[in-house]
Amino acid sequence: MIEKRGIGRPIAHVVLILGVLIVAFPIYYTFIASTQSLTTILRPPLPLTPGDQFVPNYSEAIFGGIGRIGGVDVLTLLFNTLVMALGIALGKIFISILSAFAVVFFRFPLRMLFFWLIFVTLMLPVEVRILPTYKVMVDLGMIDTYAGLILPLIASATATLLFRQFFMTIPSELVEAARIDGAGPLRFLKDILLPLSKTNIAALFVILFIYGWTQYLWPLLVTNDNQMNTIVIALRKMVSFADADTPWHMVMVTSILAILPPVLVVVLMQRWFVRGLVESEK
Amino acid sequence: MAKIELTDVRKVYPGNVEAVKGVSLSIPDGSFVVLVGPSGCGKSTLLRMVAGLESISSGTVEIGERVVNELEPAERDIAMVFQNYALYPHMSVRGNLQYGLKNRKMASDEIARRVDAAAKMLEIGPLLDRKPGQLSGGQRQRVAMGRALVREPAAFLFDEPLSNLDAKLRVQMRAEIRRLQRRLGTTSLYVTHDQLEAMTLADKLVVLNSGRIEQVGSPMDVYEKPASLFVATFIGSPAMNLLPVGEGGVPGVSASDHLLSPGGRPQILGVRPEHMRLVAETDATQPGDAIFELTVNGVEVVGAESFVYGGLPQGGPEVAVRVAGYSHLEPGTQVRAATSHDAFHRFDRESGRRIVVA
């Protein structure tokens, strides 16, 4: 750590505050806009203080339904997105822990081949395999289902790699001590490996939850029904080319509501998140 | 309680690397056997094969009357103490102690009884609710021992358990392990590269060298009658002085009898530093003493004693002589050392084996 003395400290603070302002202002402005009526928004300049439409705007969005996207309310959108983000985050963690567990702690034929196959998929992002994946989803009848939203995104080479690296730091004596203590592979996973990976899992969860929450391309393809839209897709659909056709106040409300859950996850899990990234507990 | 019987045990790693080359060893019930040898001699591999952490390429391992070759470590009724303790970092000390018992589905009051008994014996009672990360090295070592104790196994296996401790703690824990083992009477197999540990702990010492047993015997037996040159130089510090005997005997060494005559085969004589003494030119020597003419190369002062290192003339081998107290000899000084001739060990130069004098 570099220790700051004298003039350094105030300067550091000024820079930090400026940074915060630059990042926070657009979000604040979005919030202001979400409390104005559509007519105020369409007649610039937009005031810098909240308007009087907070309650009507938000209750209309949450409970009333928004015309541009087929009368679906934001609550449904939030629920859809939540299911998808949780499904992706938890699914990725589950699968990658199991595959990393197999690759690190078991000796089986072609073990390294399997590891490299997983590794190679890193080079194939969703966009590259999007056509075959779409075809498979159509054939399986998974268009407009949660499974269709989640499954194609659920395997993660990155997370597998991360867990593999972490598992490899676990001393072999610990594994052997567990064997002598009569812990079979699954019990070892449950009693020793998972508790030790807690912070890593938490950090990964935060990253993957946000990744899932902000998915755009795949949900756009795989959902046709307005009821199945995720919040990001709905936002896109709300915005029309004609300014007058776009319910800007609703767009702003939806934006604010779309930001909240990821922020909440980060804030609530911040302690774990930082620990998982920084600390190697052992 | 059980005896351990190894019969022609071998370990061959992939690539035909033979780490253990046919070891047969019988460990009587209740005895404390120490495997000692330089690193890479296969001692840890051997221990791990007994523990079941390493597969056995050929031969059999019996614990009690059971052949355990194919059994999982947990089924062998053994407990192991690792060098780096291998405590579960996320569990409390109590959790660490009882984990193995819980896995065996033991009744919880029996678990509590055993944990408390072990904690009392090792004086770790106040630490039971702490995590391993909050303990000092010595305390962790105790917990690791406790984890072995609570299982009440047929045998304890120790894999260099004291190597991570500082010197003072090591001496203390060494005594404690010995006391504990005497008290419990549990068969123990202990691996170390530290000959001091080996000498002080063992009922029976097993010296290993490149996958083979060099010698088995009580520590004093091994010390006083080393079976080979390897054992002679490995056990004892400083190592035994070795003198290759040539046609004209050993340059710089004179002896009255045929000690130095090269017998039928090339030989090497060995003598321990503590069996040599410095003598003045004028001192009368005992009949039968061998006299060394040495040029002092250096002095190592240990405290209670000093070791004088001196070279024999004509570039002969360096010889260490133990002297009580503090030696002030300067390098380059000429000194004489004497040794009673029954202090000599005799080895065959080719095979390295001890020659038993009839």
Side-chain angles (χ1 to χ4, degrees):
Chain A
M1 286 287 165
I2 299 160
E3 210 179 326
K4 285 273 171 231
R5 279 205 198 85
I7 192 78
R9 222 177 156 81
I11 289 179
H13 274 91
V14 167
V15 170
L16 281 176
I17 290 166
L18 270 177
V20 169
L21 284 181
I22 292 170
V23 172
F25 182 72
I27 297 171
Y28 174 73
Y29 214 44
T30 309
F31 174 71
I32 297 299
S34 75
T35 61
Q36 307 286 354
S37 66
L38 183 57
T39 41
T40 324
I41 299 175
L42 288 180
R43 201 177 44 217
L46 192 65
L48 277 171
T49 48
D52 53 0
Q53 297 295 306
F54 178 79
V55 177
N57 278 356
Y58 278 78
S59 62
E60 188 194 338
I62 294 175
F63 305 111
I66 298 163
R68 279 274 314 166
I69 49 167
V72 180
D73 55 72
V74 177
L75 223 49
T76 311
L77 298 176
L78 281 174
F79 179 75
N80 290 344
T81 320
L82 188 72
V83 169
M84 182 180 74
L86 280 180
I88 291 175
L90 297 177
K92 271 184 193 263
I93 288 173
F94 180 75
I95 290 180
S96 44
I97 282 188
L98 283 186
S99 45
F101 181 54
V103 166
V104 174
F105 293 105
F106 292 83
R107 301 277 165 276
F108 52 89
L110 303 182
R111 190 171 64 101
M112 281 325 278
L113 178 74
F114 282 105
F115 172 69
W116 283 108
L117 280 179
I118 294 173
F119 195 67
V120 160
T121 60
L122 267 179
M123 297 164 203
L124 297 174
V126 179
E127 290 76 7
V128 175
R129 52 191 163 89
I130 206 148
L131 282 176
T133 314
Y134 187 76
K135 171 82 169 112
V136 170
M137 287 296 121
V138 171
D139 289 350
L140 291 176
M142 284 191 182
I143 301 298
D144 280 333
T145 61
Y146 289 127
L149 277 171
I150 295 166
L151 280 182
L153 300 174
I154 209 173
S156 168
T158 323
T160 308
L161 205 68
L162 277 173
F163 279 116
R164 172 181 178 266
Q165 293 313 108
F166 172 67
F167 288 170
M168 295 212 316
T169 65
I170 288 179
S172 60
E173 268 111 336
L174 204 62
V175 184
E176 288 165 355
R179 266 181 86 189
I180 289 179
D181 269 344
L186 284 180
R187 187 170 283 168
F188 172 69
L189 178 69
K190 175 171 104 27
D191 288 348
I192 305 200
L193 218 47
L194 287 185
L196 287 178
S197 332
K198 264 191 313 205
T199 50
N200 291 54
I201 293 174
L204 209 59
F205 175 80
V206 173
I207 294 170
L208 293 178
F209 182 83
I210 291 169
Y211 164 85
W213 189 269
T214 54
Q215 276 304 303
Y216 179 72
L217 184 58
W218 182 249
L220 187 66
L221 285 175
V222 89
T223 58
N224 300 323
D225 185 352
N226 282 325
Q227 287 287 338
M228 285 302 296
N229 275 343
T230 65
I231 202 158
V232 182
I233 304 302
L235 260 178
R236 164 69 192 83
K237 285 188 181 174
M238 274 185 223
V239 180
S240 165
F241 291 109
D243 233 9
D245 214 17
T246 305
W248 282 114
H249 58 309
M250 287 296 120
V251 172
M252 293 304 154
V253 170
T254 313
S255 298
I256 290 293
L257 291 174
I259 293 170
L260 279 182
V263 169
L264 220 61
V265 166
V266 171
V267 168
L268 289 180
M269 302 199 63
Q270 190 190 29
R271 240 187 41 186
W272 286 92
F273 179 65
V274 174
R275 244 208 275 173
L277 291 183
V278 174
E279 182 183 281
S280 59
E281 187 186 352
K282 255 180 291 48
Chain B
M1 311 295 120
K3 65 185 180 70
I4 302 176
E5 194 78 44
L6 309 183
T7 315
D8 199 29
V9 173
R10 280 167 206 278
K11 177 71 194 182
V12 184
Y13 282 111
N16 242 342
V17 182
E18 208 173 12
V20 176
K21 302 168 183 163
V23 167
S24 296
L25 180 64
S26 145
I27 300 167
D29 185 10
S31 67
F32 199 118
V33 172
V34 176
L35 298 176
V36 66
S39 50
C41 71
K43 56 189 192 300
S44 278
T45 311
L46 196 60
L47 186 82
R48 291 163 56 80
M49 282 196 279
V50 176
L53 297 171
E54 203 83 63
S55 65
I56 298 162
S57 304
S58 75
T60 57
V61 173
E62 279 172 66
I63 299 175
E65 302 295 327
R66 276 191 311 168
V67 174
V68 296
N69 282 32
E70 299 301 324
L71 292 183
E72 271 292 302
E75 301 163 338
R76 295 191 179 194
D77 199 16
I78 45 105
M80 187 154 169
V81 180
F82 294 90
Q83 177 177 356
N84 66 3
Y85 324 129
L87 300 174
Y88 311 121
H90 59 293
M91 293 186 195
S92 66
V93 169
R94 185 185 292 280
N96 267 285
L97 294 184
Q98 67 190 11
Y99 184 63
L101 304 182
K102 273 191 167 168
N103 285 343
R104 284 202 266 176
K105 310 238 179 323
M106 190 176 280
S108 57
D109 50 339
E110 171 68 6
I111 294 181
R113 190 192 65 75
R114 287 192 183 190
V115 169
D116 289 340
K120 201 171 158 210
M121 203 181 295
L122 293 163
E123 295 159 17
I124 51 174
L127 311 176
L128 279 178
D129 294 317
R130 299 225 197 133
K131 294 271 175 69
Q134 298 165 296
L135 304 179
S136 69
Q139 289 170 329
R140 283 184 214 186
Q141 183 57 54
R142 278 163 194 275
V143 176
M145 301 257 305
R147 187 168 61 179
L149 278 186
V150 292
R151 306 196 48 175
E152 298 179 3
F156 288 130
L157 306 177
F158 297 91
D159 191 4
E160 311 213 9
L162 304 182
S163 304
N164 282 4
L165 298 177
D166 61 59
K168 193 177 159 205
L169 213 51
R170 200 179 304 168
V171 174
Q172 191 188 329
M173 284 304 289
R174 196 167 73 200
E176 203 159 316
I177 288 179
R178 189 71 187 113
R179 206 160 46 233
L180 215 60
Q181 197 270 342
R182 284 253 165 79
R183 188 162 142 199
L184 297 168
T186 309
T187 314
S188 301
L189 189 56
Y190 188 107
V191 160
T192 181
H193 63 266
D194 181 341
Q195 44 137 331
L196 206 65
E197 251 172 53
M199 294 291 290
T200 48
L201 282 171
D203 290 328
K204 188 155 135 181
L205 197 59
V206 179
V207 185
L208 284 169
N209 182 26
S210 52
R212 278 200 185 81
I213 291 183
E214 285 278 335
Q215 190 172 7
V216 181
S218 74
M220 275 332 279
D221 243 19
V222 173
Y223 188 78
E224 282 172 352
K225 296 195 188 70
S228 66
L229 276 173
F230 174 80
V231 179
T233 48
F234 189 74
I235 303 287
S237 171
M240 182 185 281
N241 300 313
L242 297 180
L243 315 163
V245 184
E247 279 303 323
V250 183
V253 182
S254 51
S256 53
D257 57 5
H258 25 260
L259 179 76
L260 299 175
S261 66
R265 314 177 53 179
Q267 294 181 1
I268 291 180
L269 288 177
V271 61
R272 294 216 180 265
E274 68 267 29
H275 292 141
M276 300 183 67
R277 59 185 196 280
L278 291 183
V279 288
E281 202 81 40
T282 50
D283 281 1
T285 52
Q286 308 285 326
D289 271 2
I291 305 295
F292 293 69
E293 305 289 346
L294 301 172
T295 313
V296 175
N297 291 338
V299 176
E300 207 176 74
V301 182
V302 186
E305 58 196 17
S306 308
F307 293 97
V308 176
Y309 292 89
L312 286 165
Q314 299 168 33
E318 191 177 65
V319 171
V321 182
R322 199 195 77 126
V323 201
Y326 183 29
S327 166
H328 295 277
L329 287 170
E330 288 295 323
T333 321
Q334 298 289 326
V335 291
R336 306 178 86 197
T339 308
S340 151
H341 90 269
D342 22 295
F344 281 97
H345 305 264
R346 214 176 260 276
F347 301 97
D348 187 296
R349 194 186 293 188
E350 264 149 41
S351 68
R353 306 306 296 178
R354 181 184 190 82
I355 297 171
V356 182
V357 191

